Amino acid sequence: MIRSTLCAIVALSAFPAAAQHAHNSSGGPVETGQSAFAAIAEIVQILSDDPDTDWSKVNIQALRDHLVDMELVTTEANVRTQSEGRIVEFNVTGEGDVADAIGRIVLAHSPMLEMASEWTVTAEPSTNGATMRIEVDTDPEFARVLGLGFFGIMTIGAHHQAHHLQMAMGTDPHH
């Protein structure tokens, strides 16, 4: 018993050291930088590793533009939340480029959110952005939507990475 416990302790304590050694011997940094740049780098690597990539259709600029929209919405949008019954309404606004980004992101994400959840999700453009309405069937789901708020809601559905790849490949993932 003592012998197997000692073996386990030695093995577990050696694992972090081995992992750190492997990381340090990689020859240099592994972080690609700012998050949008990292997302682009990841997609470029995926496309480069795929021998079937049709480079004549690749559009990294479209992906970059979308990532800029995501950044503007996340960091500069204003959100006013209202609720009635089991309906939560997010009125998302901004000025100039931010308002334009809100319109693109909210209108594109709403159908994806509806598919990824059991909620009824609608969105419409507004003067300075967009309005998203979410209707749920239960009180716990209502509490979840309110707790997550607009920005938490926007993360639901692991579709972001796939649609980033589709954009870069020159296809429109929103239609």
Side-chain angles (χ1 to χ4, degrees), residues 107-117 121 156-157 159 163 166 173-175:
L107 297 176
H109 184 71
S110 293
M112 300 295 177
L113 176 59
E114 188 168 62
M115 287 190 307
S117 69
V121 182
I156 292 178
H159 69 277
H163 90 237
Q166 289 175 315
H174 301 120
H175 291 82

Side-chain angles (χ1 to χ4, degrees), residues 93-148:
T93 60
E95 299 296 325
D97 290 343
V98 177
D100 295 339
I102 291 166
R104 288 186 292 271
I105 294 290
V106 171
L107 297 176
H109 184 71
S110 293
M112 300 295 177
L113 176 59
E114 188 168 62
M115 287 190 307
S117 69
E118 295 182 11
W119 307 330
T120 301
V121 182
T122 59
E124 58 190 36
S126 66
T127 305
N128 291 325
T131 300
M132 176 189 283
R133 286 179 198 81
I134 301 174
E135 185 172 357
V136 299
D137 294 329
T138 67
D139 289 340
E141 286 299 302
F142 180 72
R144 181 179 182 211
V145 171
L146 285 176
L148 288 170

Side-chain angles (χ1 to χ4, degrees), residues 6 14 21 53 56-58 92-93 107 128 136 157 159 167-168 174:
L6 271 172
H21 176 72
T53 295
S56 69
K57 293 182 180 176
V58 169
V92 188
T93 60
L107 297 176
N128 291 325
V136 299
H159 69 277
M167 280 179 198
H174 301 120

Side-chain angles (χ1 to χ4, degrees), residues 1-166:
M1 173 83 168
I2 293 175
R3 185 176 182 170
S4 57
T5 302
L6 271 172
C7 288
I9 290 170
V10 169
L12 289 174
S13 64
F15 182 71
Q20 184 177 6
H21 176 72
H23 175 74
N24 289 341
S25 69
S26 68
V30 294
E31 176 59 48
T32 58
Q34 185 261 0
S35 63
F37 188 85
I40 292 168
E42 179 181 40
I43 296 298
V44 167
Q45 188 62 56
I46 290 168
L47 294 172
S48 296
D49 290 345
D50 182 356
D52 295 327
T53 295
D54 183 348
W55 290 101
S56 69
K57 293 182 180 176
V58 169
N59 187 348
I60 297 300
Q61 183 65 44
L63 172 58
R64 185 255 182 207
D65 293 346
H66 175 72
L67 294 169
V68 168
D69 281 354
M70 289 177 68
E71 177 76 16
L72 289 172
V73 171
T74 303
T75 61
E76 297 189 37
N78 300 303
V79 180
R80 186 173 46 93
T81 304
Q82 297 178 283
S83 63
E84 183 178 324
R86 288 189 180 140
I87 299 173
V88 178
E89 180 177 282
F90 300 108
N91 186 342
V92 188
T93 60
E95 299 296 325
D97 290 343
V98 177
D100 295 339
I102 291 166
R104 288 186 292 271
I105 294 290
V106 171
L107 297 176
H109 184 71
S110 293
M112 300 295 177
L113 176 59
E114 188 168 62
M115 287 190 307
S117 69
E118 295 182 11
W119 307 330
T120 301
V121 182
T122 59
E124 58 190 36
S126 66
T127 305
N128 291 325
T131 300
M132 176 189 283
R133 286 179 198 81
I134 301 174
E135 185 172 357
V136 299
D137 294 329
T138 67
D139 289 340
E141 286 299 302
F142 180 72
R144 181 179 182 211
V145 171
L146 285 176
L148 288 170
F150 173 75
F151 297 105
I153 290 296
M154 293 301 286
T155 68
I156 292 178
H159 69 277
H160 292 97
Q161 297 86 342
H163 90 237
H164 291 170
L165 184 57
Q166 289 175 315

